[in-house]
Amino acid sequence: MSRWPAKEAMQERILDTAGRLFYGQGIRAVGVDTIAAEIGISKRTLYNYFPSKDELIVAYLARHFIQVKPSDRPLLEQILRYFDWLERWFASDTFRGCPFVNAIAELGDATHPGAKMAVAYKEQRRLWLRDALTQLNVPDPDGLATQVAILVEGAIIAALVRGDPAMASAAKAAARVLLTAAGVPDPDAASQPKRRTGQTRSRTPKRAPARKRVRGA
């Protein structure tokens, strides 16, 4: 027996199917008829759960609207670990770019609820960075947060265009440079052994062996 009541179970099934098709084939390319046929229900039944395709699009994007979880890890580590997660995502067989960026590009309407949700998602990520950097008293936390957010977006697009998950590592390296230059402590730097500078071991030159005096010369 399903742990979901019948209505919620069908709603989840519709969202699962719509999400897979929207992300894999495109929001505009997939119609409600296709989703209903994939599930094995009528279009009318689908509309009983989602009265319009626009509402289904918003519900699909809402599933991806994940808030940043609080963590006790150092700020720089939290940010850089996100790039590690991106690289794993890029390497997956299902990676087709960012669902929010895809939605804005396909909808082509800034007033669409789905487009507004996409903007809100990107902004909440940037604001999380800004608030954290503000606590660390770095110069221009708002501008720095925007720069790091651009690195994230650039990594996603580059990985999609080039088909190379290593774009996340390149963006991670750039983010580390930006953040440490702004004064954010690097936890990895403390674990690296310090090199001695300005100290050279002087070597005492060897004396040439004394010549033996030859008598009678």
Side-chain angles (χ1 to χ4, degrees):
M1 182 177 178
S2 172
R3 64 187 181 92
W4 294 95
K7 184 175 180 179
E8 285 78 2
M10 177 55 71
Q11 190 174 40
E12 289 297 307
R13 188 177 173 190
I14 293 171
L15 276 175
D16 287 342
T17 305
R20 174 171 51 82
L21 294 174
F22 283 161
Y23 185 66
Q25 301 179 23
I27 289 174
R28 288 300 189 194
V30 176
V32 175
D33 291 336
T34 303
I35 298 170
E38 183 83 8
I39 301 171
I41 60 177
S42 67
K43 184 176 175 180
R44 181 176 180 179
T45 300
L46 189 149
Y47 280 135
N48 288 334
Y49 294 90
F50 298 96
S52 69
K53 182 180 177 181
D54 285 344
E55 290 192 26
L56 186 55
I57 291 170
V58 171
Y60 150 67
L61 292 174
R63 276 187 156 192
H64 294 277
F65 203 114
I66 302 172
Q67 300 287 344
V68 180
K69 295 180 180 179
S71 173
D72 294 331
R73 295 179 183 274
L75 171 66
L76 184 61
E77 183 180 349
Q78 291 183 52
I79 297 171
L80 298 184
R81 282 169 65 90
Y82 182 63
F83 286 96
D84 295 337
W85 177 85
L86 286 176
E87 186 163 4
R88 293 191 295 271
W89 180 36
F90 298 164
S92 67
D93 295 334
T94 58
F95 175 67
R96 296 292 184 275
C98 173
F100 293 103
V101 174
N102 295 348
I104 290 179
E106 293 183 59
L107 293 171
D109 179 6
T111 65
H112 190 284
K116 291 181 178 180
M117 178 173 288
V119 173
Y121 173 79
K122 296 296 183 179
E123 183 63 3
Q124 68 96 10
R125 288 275 171 168
R126 193 191 72 83
L127 291 177
W128 174 82
L129 282 168
R130 186 199 65 183
D131 293 345
L133 293 170
T134 299
Q135 294 177 15
L136 291 174
N137 297 317
V138 302
D140 189 16
D142 191 73
L144 185 57
T146 299
Q147 292 170 1
V148 176
I150 289 173
L151 288 174
V152 171
E153 300 303 322
I156 295 172
I157 295 171
L160 180 64
V161 172
R162 297 167 64 96
D164 186 359
M167 294 298 99
S169 295
K172 176 181 178 179
R176 185 190 293 273
V177 172
L178 279 175
L179 294 166
T180 54
V184 178
D186 186 349
D188 292 338
S191 61
Q192 296 177 358
K194 295 182 179 179
R195 295 181 179 179
R196 293 182 179 180
T197 57
Q199 295 181 357
T200 55
R201 184 179 294 177
S202 60
R203 294 181 179 180
T204 303
K206 294 181 180 180
R207 296 182 179 180
R211 294 182 180 179
K212 292 181 179 181
R213 182 176 297 177
V214 181
R215 294 181 180 180

